[in-house]
Amino acid sequence: MTSVTIDDISGTVPLVARLSRGGQRLRQADQRHPWVLDAGVVVLVFLMFCVPDLFHHGEGDGDGDGPRHFRFAFTQLSVAGMLAVQVGLVLPLLWRRRRPEAAFGVIAAVFVLQWALGAALRADVALFVALYSLTLHGRLRRLPWACGVMAGAMALVAVRVSRVVSVWDALFFLLSTATAALAVGLTVRIRRAQLAGLRERAAQLEIERDQRSRLATATERTRVAREMHDIVGHNLSVIITLADAGAYATDIAPERGKEALRLIGDTGRQALGELRRVLGVLRETADGSEGGPELSPQPGIADLDALCAKVRAAGLEVVYRTSGDVDALDGGVQLTVYRIVQEALTNTLKHADAGARVHLAILVEGSRLTIRVQDTGPAEPSGPPNEEGHGLVGMRERAALYGGTVSAGPARGGGWSVEAVLDLTPQGGAR
């Protein structure tokens, strides 16, 4: 028993790699100059199978190869006739890949004519090459008639050699050879089709991977843009409102002006911290373990009290109430509620009159969560009519994550109202 060592395997791998690269270069060269391979096949068949017949013909009638009774069983063609038949058998192989049906038809016709005259030539191997090429490159629906022609030609040969060989033995050998050519052609064709399918699948997977990457990038940009809008828009609105109030109160009530400046500083620091948290997740560390951003918990319903306090400090009266078990909501729902309320209060700060009252209600009823934010005026926000800002679009996108809707418009009795409804039913039908 022989043993295979690691050195033997490692020595084989480079050889296989070199052979693979050589085969790839040959295929590329064949794609650039396909006529070179076709001409090479014709030259090779001529040298191997045609030249020996020409040389043996010139040696005399009785000095050829094979038993004497086998040689005299066939017709001896002249050199010109033999050369003409050889050309008819071999030359059509030049277009065996471009026109395989035509090449096979011409070669089969010359083959039948040759054996009808009773001549035997080594160049008859061209018929098997043509059958292989037709199987590999031709249309499969033409293959049955080619097999029928091949079987008829083989039967003719078997009858012609019946004087020296049994018809059944000759027919078995010839049909076995034709079957081998047919099987090799089908095997190579199936293998090429499989490789083409694998290459197409790999290309499709690369396209899908790039599409998923672009989609994930676009989704992440949208998410970050929405977070930035919520953070910057709300906190800047509060800062602007506090700055205006502080400037007005500086001369009348200096203590109120100092309080406004303190609130501006707190709001700016909070906004800066939230911005660092949002932008920090976009940075990637080298090892992915240490040095990452220090993340604070995402805001939730418990942080709405502090949010309402800042809005009150900016000059609005906020009435906040909840109903149901709001603390049992998961973190994603609480973040969505917080951002929707934050955006609604930001819009109120921008558009409501000074001293306006805001009623904020969060109601949980079974699998339904309702958010209502209503102020006392004005009834329409400032800005171009029939134009939705990024804030309302962002609220609707957040609500859509939970199968919810957002509606905004003038409220009964004056003012502006925003109402969002979220579906708390677990996805996938879990119960």
Side-chain angles (χ1 to χ4, degrees):
M1 178 180 293
T2 59
S3 60
V4 179
T5 63
I6 299 297
D7 294 336
D8 296 334
I9 298 177
S10 60
T12 304
V13 172
L15 176 62
V16 173
R18 286 195 295 269
L19 291 176
S20 177
R21 289 193 297 269
Q24 185 176 3
R25 285 193 293 267
L26 287 176
R27 287 192 296 270
Q28 293 174 353
D30 182 49
Q31 291 176 356
R32 292 192 297 267
H33 307 288
W35 59 270
V36 175
L37 178 59
D38 296 334
V41 170
V42 171
V43 172
L44 182 64
V45 172
F46 182 82
L47 293 176
M48 292 182 62
F49 300 101
C50 296
V51 172
D53 281 339
L54 294 173
F55 283 162
H56 292 157
H57 185 278
E59 293 176 356
D61 295 337
D63 299 329
D65 296 338
R68 185 179 183 84
H69 68 278
F70 187 82
R71 295 197 306 270
F72 285 101
F74 304 104
T75 302
Q76 297 294 321
L77 299 176
S78 63
V79 176
M82 181 183 298
L83 187 59
V85 174
Q86 289 177 342
V87 170
L89 289 172
V90 177
L91 191 60
L93 293 178
L94 281 174
W95 62 85
R96 65 183 183 88
R97 293 192 295 179
R98 288 168 292 177
R99 297 290 186 272
E101 294 88 356
F104 177 82
V106 172
I107 295 175
V110 176
F111 181 89
V112 171
L113 176 61
Q114 168 209 325
W115 280 97
L117 296 175
L121 297 175
R122 291 180 176 88
D124 291 338
V125 72
L127 183 62
F128 298 100
V129 177
L131 178 62
Y132 163 80
S133 300
L134 175 61
T135 306
L136 179 58
H137 303 289
R139 300 177 182 177
L140 291 180
R141 65 172 179 266
R142 302 287 178 85
L143 199 57
W145 71 260
C147 293
V149 172
M150 194 73 180
M154 297 300 101
L156 175 61
V157 175
V159 172
R160 279 294 185 177
V161 301
S162 60
R163 294 173 55 184
V164 291
V165 181
S166 169
V167 173
W168 297 109
D169 291 343
L171 197 59
F172 174 78
F173 172 77
L174 294 171
L175 291 179
S176 298
T177 307
T179 302
L182 184 68
V184 173
L186 287 175
T187 301
V188 176
R189 182 172 189 146
I190 293 173
R191 179 61 176 170
R192 288 184 179 180
Q194 290 176 341
L195 292 177
L198 290 176
R199 286 192 292 267
E200 182 180 357
R201 179 59 178 164
Q204 184 66 28
L205 288 176
E206 290 181 0
I207 294 174
E208 293 178 358
R209 180 198 62 191
D210 295 340
Q211 290 176 344
R212 286 195 298 269
S213 178
R214 288 193 294 267
L215 181 60
T217 301
T219 303
E220 183 64 15
R221 287 178 177 176
T222 302
R223 186 190 67 82
V224 172
R226 189 167 55 234
E227 291 288 335
M228 295 284 289
H229 174 271
D230 293 341
I231 295 171
V232 175
H234 169 76
N235 288 286
L236 283 181
S237 297
V238 173
I239 289 174
I240 292 172
T241 304
L242 289 173
D244 292 340
Y248 176 77
T250 299
D251 297 332
I252 302 176
E255 294 299 328
R256 296 291 300 274
K258 292 181 180 180
E259 179 67 17
L261 292 176
R262 186 185 64 79
L263 291 175
I264 289 174
D266 294 340
T267 303
R269 281 187 290 272
Q270 180 182 356
L272 183 60
E274 292 186 9
L275 285 176
R276 286 175 176 173
R277 174 177 55 79
V278 172
L279 298 178
V281 299
L282 302 179
R283 295 195 297 267
E284 296 179 357
T285 58
D287 55 3
S289 57
E290 297 181 357
E294 297 181 359
L295 303 180
S296 60
Q298 293 276 28
I301 293 180
D303 300 291
L304 289 178
D305 289 327
L307 179 64
C308 293
K310 289 196 301 181
V311 175
R312 293 188 187 100
L316 296 181
E317 182 180 353
V318 181
V319 179
Y320 169 44
R321 69 183 182 90
T322 62
S323 176
D325 191 5
V326 295
D327 295 331
L329 300 175
D330 62 67
V333 175
Q334 292 201 30
L335 175 61
T336 299
V337 173
Y338 181 89
R339 292 305 187 195
I340 291 176
V341 171
Q342 183 184 49
E343 181 60 35
L345 292 178
T346 301
N347 291 336
T348 300
L349 279 173
K350 291 179 180 178
H351 306 297
D353 296 332
R357 173 177 294 186
V358 182
H359 294 274
L360 168 62
I362 300 176
L363 312 175
V364 178
E365 300 173 347
S367 61
R368 177 187 176 94
L369 186 149
T370 304
I371 306 169
R372 293 195 186 97
V373 182
Q374 181 177 347
D375 59 62
T376 57
E380 295 184 1
S382 60
N386 300 323
E387 179 178 338
E388 291 186 356
H390 295 288
L392 186 57
V393 173
M395 285 191 286
R396 285 176 175 165
E397 290 179 354
R398 291 184 181 277
L401 295 176
Y402 294 92
T405 58
V406 175
S407 58
R412 295 179 180 178
W416 192 260
S417 174
V418 175
E419 181 172 328
V421 179
L422 307 183
D423 184 6
L424 304 179
T425 303
Q427 295 183 356
R431 298 184 185 278

